[in-house]
Amino acid sequence: MNYKIRNGKVLKSGAEKLSVVPEDLYVIEGKVYEHVPEGAEGAIEEVDAGGHLIMPGLINLHTHAYMTLLRNYADDVDFDEWLFRRVMPVEDSLPQEGAYWTTLLACMEMIRTGTTCFNDMHMFKGQSAKAAAQAGMRAFIGRGLVGEDLYGDGLSRFRDALEEQEEWGGNGLLEFVLAPHAVYSCSPKLYGQVAEEAAKRHMLKHTHVSESDNEVRNCLGQYGKTPVELLRDAGFLDDRTILAHCVKMQGDDIQIIADAACSVVTNPASNAKLGNGFAPLSSLSASGVRLTLGTDGTSSNNTLNLFREMNLVSLIHKGIAGDSTALPSDSVIRMVTENPAAAVGMQGRLGVISDGANADLVFIDLNEPSLFPNNNIVSSLCYSANGSEVDSVMIDGKFVMRRRQFLTIDAERVRYEVRSLADRYLSL
Ligand code: NI
């Protein structure tokens, strides 16, 4: 379906500052335009945007979507209790198809709060892809890899990664990523092997790094290097590498990341909840590192709501820096739009509303009391919005939610299935 969307206010990203401009948009074959492109065919349905703000869909660059089952299942406990006695036993017992339903629940929450694209590290072959395809979401999907040797103890997971790419790669909205878990679960050799495979296969790379003091201490003890140095020496760091966390930066870590042109995903709620602190965003940014935002999984965060994350990241870093001008709303909005688009090599095609970009659009009701009286729409997205103002969501030119009704997901069925899984697999 092609659309003319009138009566909307469009969030435009210029080189200087984000701005809001009242203008009509055309959505033709999944792409957005200011005017109908020459040669366009087919009927055009008119949509009244009702004065809503139309902004690019938000991009969550680090999550584990299947973990919705564990929401509020292990709060206020120490890390060992959290991981070894709560999270891992459930992950080990959950059947494959269970992760389909829990990921679909994640898709519901993301769509409901304006996220149209996510970068997922998962444990259940093919289930993220199946759920994202059902939801009509754009996703970057990586089977979590672990082990000493990619072709030895790491082989079965690597095969899973390649097989799910084989099975689902034809879906135009899904891209597959190689995602070794972390330096405490993967050897330097495995990181090197993954880097070679990723280069050969033109795949992005995604990993956790320097999340906690323990991780850095153990890495220094075992290898005499920080986790970032280890990844550099393994040949893992380049402009196709997405690094989640980067909280505990030491020595030359920040310069190494900047020199390699990696993208960093900060996850402020997760880092705070697990008591790990906060990534040094001011220093990373000053060194020219591209900053993006993620929620992490719902067990270490509890929500997949990027509006909450935008609010948190800005307030936390103003507080830490003792500077009310640190991380302004304009920069924060770019952390969930243009910056992650560049991180995945889709500059100009994703995270922006401009001629020929993918029509991943979020409609925000500016009449909601939380945003009214619209004195500064751009800053309200960072400081006032809570995600409930999202009225409609379009991905690749198709509405997946309209007037808060899901169009691709049977919400009642998802709730029934996930409730059944929780009854069966969680024991408090
Ligand atoms: Ni994570």
Side-chain angles (χ1 to χ4, degrees), residues 16-33:
E16 291 293 315
K17 286 191 92 169
L18 296 173
S19 60
V20 176
V21 182
E23 68 174 23
D24 295 343
L25 290 176
Y26 292 87
V27 173
I28 310 289
E29 290 174 10
K31 305 279 187 285
V32 67
Y33 299 94

PDB file of all heavy atoms in Angstrom, residues 16-33:
ATOM      1  N   GLU A  16      22.805  20.443  11.498  1.00  0.00           N
ATOM      2  CA  GLU A  16      22.986  21.230  12.717  1.00  0.00           C
ATOM      3  C   GLU A  16      22.105  20.741  13.861  1.00  0.00           C
ATOM      4  O   GLU A  16      22.578  20.192  14.834  1.00  0.00           O
ATOM      5  CB  GLU A  16      22.662  22.701  12.417  1.00  0.00           C
ATOM      6  CG  GLU A  16      23.666  23.367  11.504  1.00  0.00           C
ATOM      7  CD  GLU A  16      25.027  23.510  12.179  1.00  0.00           C
ATOM      8  OE1 GLU A  16      25.046  23.918  13.347  1.00  0.00           O
ATOM      9  OE2 GLU A  16      26.039  23.208  11.519  1.00  0.00           O
ATOM     10  N   LYS A  17      20.810  20.952  13.710  1.00  0.00           N
ATOM     11  CA  LYS A  17      19.892  20.634  14.798  1.00  0.00           C
ATOM     12  C   LYS A  17      18.659  19.937  14.274  1.00  0.00           C
ATOM     13  O   LYS A  17      18.241  20.157  13.145  1.00  0.00           O
ATOM     14  CB  LYS A  17      19.455  21.937  15.503  1.00  0.00           C
ATOM     15  CG  LYS A  17      20.517  22.549  16.369  1.00  0.00           C
ATOM     16  CD  LYS A  17      19.927  23.644  17.224  1.00  0.00           C
ATOM     17  CE  LYS A  17      19.481  23.068  18.558  1.00  0.00           C
ATOM     18  NZ  LYS A  17      19.142  24.105  19.540  1.00  0.00           N
ATOM     19  N   LEU A  18      18.073  19.107  15.131  1.00  0.00           N
ATOM     20  CA  LEU A  18      16.798  18.501  14.775  1.00  0.00           C
ATOM     21  C   LEU A  18      15.736  19.590  14.770  1.00  0.00           C
ATOM     22  O   LEU A  18      15.773  20.507  15.602  1.00  0.00           O
ATOM     23  CB  LEU A  18      16.423  17.434  15.798  1.00  0.00           C
ATOM     24  CG  LEU A  18      17.360  16.227  15.879  1.00  0.00           C
ATOM     25  CD1 LEU A  18      16.970  15.324  17.050  1.00  0.00           C
ATOM     26  CD2 LEU A  18      17.341  15.425  14.592  1.00  0.00           C
ATOM     27  N   SER A  19      14.793  19.479  13.851  1.00  0.00           N
ATOM     28  CA  SER A  19      13.720  20.478  13.816  1.00  0.00           C
ATOM     29  C   SER A  19      12.406  19.788  13.480  1.00  0.00           C
ATOM     30  O   SER A  19      12.397  18.651  13.018  1.00  0.00           O
ATOM     31  CB  SER A  19      14.033  21.555  12.774  1.00  0.00           C
ATOM     32  OG  SER A  19      14.156  20.949  11.506  1.00  0.00           O
ATOM     33  N   VAL A  20      11.310  20.485  13.732  1.00  0.00           N
ATOM     34  CA  VAL A  20       9.985  19.937  13.465  1.00  0.00           C
ATOM     35  C   VAL A  20       9.307  20.813  12.421  1.00  0.00           C
ATOM     36  O   VAL A  20       9.187  22.021  12.610  1.00  0.00           O
ATOM     37  CB  VAL A  20       9.150  19.883  14.764  1.00  0.00           C
ATOM     38  CG1 VAL A  20       7.735  19.408  14.460  1.00  0.00           C
ATOM     39  CG2 VAL A  20       9.825  18.973  15.785  1.00  0.00           C
ATOM     40  N   VAL A  21       8.918  20.189  11.317  1.00  0.00           N
ATOM     41  CA  VAL A  21       8.386  20.936  10.182  1.00  0.00           C
ATOM     42  C   VAL A  21       7.026  20.346   9.784  1.00  0.00           C
ATOM     43  O   VAL A  21       6.942  19.141   9.538  1.00  0.00           O
ATOM     44  CB  VAL A  21       9.347  20.820   8.965  1.00  0.00           C
ATOM     45  CG1 VAL A  21       8.838  21.636   7.793  1.00  0.00           C
ATOM     46  CG2 VAL A  21      10.760  21.216   9.356  1.00  0.00           C
ATOM     47  N   PRO A  22       5.964  21.174   9.713  1.00  0.00           N
ATOM     48  CA  PRO A  22       4.689  20.641   9.228  1.00  0.00           C
ATOM     49  C   PRO A  22       4.802  20.362   7.733  1.00  0.00           C
ATOM     50  O   PRO A  22       5.096  21.287   6.972  1.00  0.00           O
ATOM     51  CB  PRO A  22       3.688  21.777   9.491  1.00  0.00           C
ATOM     52  CG  PRO A  22       4.449  22.833  10.230  1.00  0.00           C
ATOM     53  CD  PRO A  22       5.898  22.602  10.012  1.00  0.00           C
ATOM     54  N   GLU A  23       4.660  19.116   7.319  1.00  0.00           N
ATOM     55  CA  GLU A  23       4.693  18.834   5.882  1.00  0.00           C
ATOM     56  C   GLU A  23       4.061  17.487   5.590  1.00  0.00           C
ATOM     57  O   GLU A  23       3.948  16.634   6.462  1.00  0.00           O
ATOM     58  CB  GLU A  23       6.121  18.891   5.325  1.00  0.00           C
ATOM     59  CG  GLU A  23       7.023  17.795   5.801  1.00  0.00           C
ATOM     60  CD  GLU A  23       8.380  17.809   5.095  1.00  0.00           C
ATOM     61  OE1 GLU A  23       8.799  18.853   4.575  1.00  0.00           O
ATOM     62  OE2 GLU A  23       9.024  16.747   5.083  1.00  0.00           O
ATOM     63  N   ASP A  24       3.633  17.319   4.337  1.00  0.00           N
ATOM     64  CA  ASP A  24       3.065  16.046   3.907  1.00  0.00           C
ATOM     65  C   ASP A  24       4.194  15.090   3.556  1.00  0.00           C
ATOM     66  O   ASP A  24       5.268  15.512   3.119  1.00  0.00           O
ATOM     67  CB  ASP A  24       2.190  16.256   2.659  1.00  0.00           C
ATOM     68  CG  ASP A  24       0.971  17.112   2.959  1.00  0.00           C
ATOM     69  OD1 ASP A  24       0.639  17.265   4.152  1.00  0.00           O
ATOM     70  OD2 ASP A  24       0.362  17.633   1.997  1.00  0.00           O
ATOM     71  N   LEU A  25       3.935  13.806   3.744  1.00  0.00           N
ATOM     72  CA  LEU A  25       4.899  12.785   3.353  1.00  0.00           C
ATOM     73  C   LEU A  25       4.208  11.782   2.450  1.00  0.00           C
ATOM     74  O   LEU A  25       3.002  11.531   2.587  1.00  0.00           O
ATOM     75  CB  LEU A  25       5.417  12.028   4.585  1.00  0.00           C
ATOM     76  CG  LEU A  25       6.328  12.755   5.564  1.00  0.00           C
ATOM     77  CD1 LEU A  25       6.632  11.835   6.743  1.00  0.00           C
ATOM     78  CD2 LEU A  25       7.620  13.195   4.884  1.00  0.00           C
ATOM     79  N   TYR A  26       4.984  11.219   1.548  1.00  0.00           N
ATOM     80  CA  TYR A  26       4.473  10.120   0.728  1.00  0.00           C
ATOM     81  C   TYR A  26       5.237   8.859   1.094  1.00  0.00           C
ATOM     82  O   TYR A  26       6.458   8.893   1.294  1.00  0.00           O
ATOM     83  CB  TYR A  26       4.665  10.417  -0.761  1.00  0.00           C
ATOM     84  CG  TYR A  26       3.791  11.552  -1.217  1.00  0.00           C
ATOM     85  CD1 TYR A  26       4.227  12.880  -1.104  1.00  0.00           C
ATOM     86  CD2 TYR A  26       2.525  11.304  -1.731  1.00  0.00           C
ATOM     87  CE1 TYR A  26       3.409  13.931  -1.495  1.00  0.00           C
ATOM     88  CE2 TYR A  26       1.707  12.357  -2.126  1.00  0.00           C
ATOM     89  CZ  TYR A  26       2.156  13.658  -2.002  1.00  0.00           C
ATOM     90  OH  TYR A  26       1.347  14.697  -2.394  1.00  0.00           O
ATOM     91  N   VAL A  27       4.521   7.752   1.204  1.00  0.00           N
ATOM     92  CA  VAL A  27       5.160   6.459   1.428  1.00  0.00           C
ATOM     93  C   VAL A  27       4.852   5.607   0.201  1.00  0.00           C
ATOM     94  O   VAL A  27       3.695   5.279  -0.075  1.00  0.00           O
ATOM     95  CB  VAL A  27       4.629   5.796   2.709  1.00  0.00           C
ATOM     96  CG1 VAL A  27       5.172   4.373   2.828  1.00  0.00           C
ATOM     97  CG2 VAL A  27       5.011   6.623   3.925  1.00  0.00           C
ATOM     98  N   ILE A  28       5.906   5.333  -0.568  1.00  0.00           N
ATOM     99  CA  ILE A  28       5.738   4.598  -1.827  1.00  0.00           C
ATOM    100  C   ILE A  28       6.631   3.360  -1.778  1.00  0.00           C
ATOM    101  O   ILE A  28       7.850   3.471  -1.652  1.00  0.00           O
ATOM    102  CB  ILE A  28       6.145   5.475  -3.047  1.00  0.00           C
ATOM    103  CG1 ILE A  28       5.454   6.854  -2.995  1.00  0.00           C
ATOM    104  CG2 ILE A  28       5.874   4.733  -4.354  1.00  0.00           C
ATOM    105  CD1 ILE A  28       3.973   6.867  -3.262  1.00  0.00           C
ATOM    106  N   GLU A  29       6.027   2.214  -1.867  1.00  0.00           N
ATOM    107  CA  GLU A  29       6.758   0.942  -1.863  1.00  0.00           C
ATOM    108  C   GLU A  29       7.800   0.876  -0.751  1.00  0.00           C
ATOM    109  O   GLU A  29       8.963   0.536  -0.974  1.00  0.00           O
ATOM    110  CB  GLU A  29       7.394   0.695  -3.233  1.00  0.00           C
ATOM    111  CG  GLU A  29       6.319   0.386  -4.265  1.00  0.00           C
ATOM    112  CD  GLU A  29       6.847   0.277  -5.686  1.00  0.00           C
ATOM    113  OE1 GLU A  29       8.079   0.261  -5.851  1.00  0.00           O
ATOM    114  OE2 GLU A  29       6.026   0.225  -6.607  1.00  0.00           O
ATOM    115  N   GLY A  30       7.370   1.237   0.440  1.00  0.00           N
ATOM    116  CA  GLY A  30       8.231   1.067   1.608  1.00  0.00           C
ATOM    117  C   GLY A  30       9.216   2.190   1.867  1.00  0.00           C
ATOM    118  O   GLY A  30       9.945   2.167   2.846  1.00  0.00           O
ATOM    119  N   LYS A  31       9.230   3.196   0.950  1.00  0.00           N
ATOM    120  CA  LYS A  31      10.170   4.309   1.133  1.00  0.00           C
ATOM    121  C   LYS A  31       9.390   5.609   1.324  1.00  0.00           C
ATOM    122  O   LYS A  31       8.255   5.730   0.879  1.00  0.00           O
ATOM    123  CB  LYS A  31      11.082   4.449  -0.095  1.00  0.00           C
ATOM    124  CG  LYS A  31      11.843   3.179  -0.467  1.00  0.00           C
ATOM    125  CD  LYS A  31      13.073   3.003   0.381  1.00  0.00           C
ATOM    126  CE  LYS A  31      13.952   1.840  -0.068  1.00  0.00           C
ATOM    127  NZ  LYS A  31      13.413   0.529   0.299  1.00  0.00           N
ATOM    128  N   VAL A  32      10.059   6.568   1.973  1.00  0.00           N
ATOM    129  CA  VAL A  32       9.379   7.822   2.272  1.00  0.00           C
ATOM    130  C   VAL A  32       9.890   8.930   1.328  1.00  0.00           C
ATOM    131  O   VAL A  32      11.072   8.928   0.956  1.00  0.00           O
ATOM    132  CB  VAL A  32       9.572   8.170   3.776  1.00  0.00           C
ATOM    133  CG1 VAL A  32      11.015   8.487   4.101  1.00  0.00           C
ATOM    134  CG2 VAL A  32       8.665   9.292   4.204  1.00  0.00           C
ATOM    135  N   TYR A  33       8.983   9.812   0.926  1.00  0.00           N
ATOM    136  CA  TYR A  33       9.342  10.909   0.018  1.00  0.00           C
ATOM    137  C   TYR A  33       8.572  12.175   0.398  1.00  0.00           C
ATOM    138  O   TYR A  33       7.482  12.097   0.966  1.00  0.00           O
ATOM    139  CB  TYR A  33       8.970  10.556  -1.438  1.00  0.00           C
ATOM    140  CG  TYR A  33       9.676   9.345  -1.968  1.00  0.00           C
ATOM    141  CD1 TYR A  33       9.071   8.085  -1.883  1.00  0.00           C
ATOM    142  CD2 TYR A  33      10.937   9.429  -2.548  1.00  0.00           C
ATOM    143  CE1 TYR A  33       9.713   6.946  -2.360  1.00  0.00           C
ATOM    144  CE2 TYR A  33      11.589   8.302  -3.031  1.00  0.00           C
ATOM    145  CZ  TYR A  33      10.968   7.061  -2.932  1.00  0.00           C
ATOM    146  OH  TYR A  33      11.604   5.946  -3.409  1.00  0.00           O
TER     147      TYR A  33
END
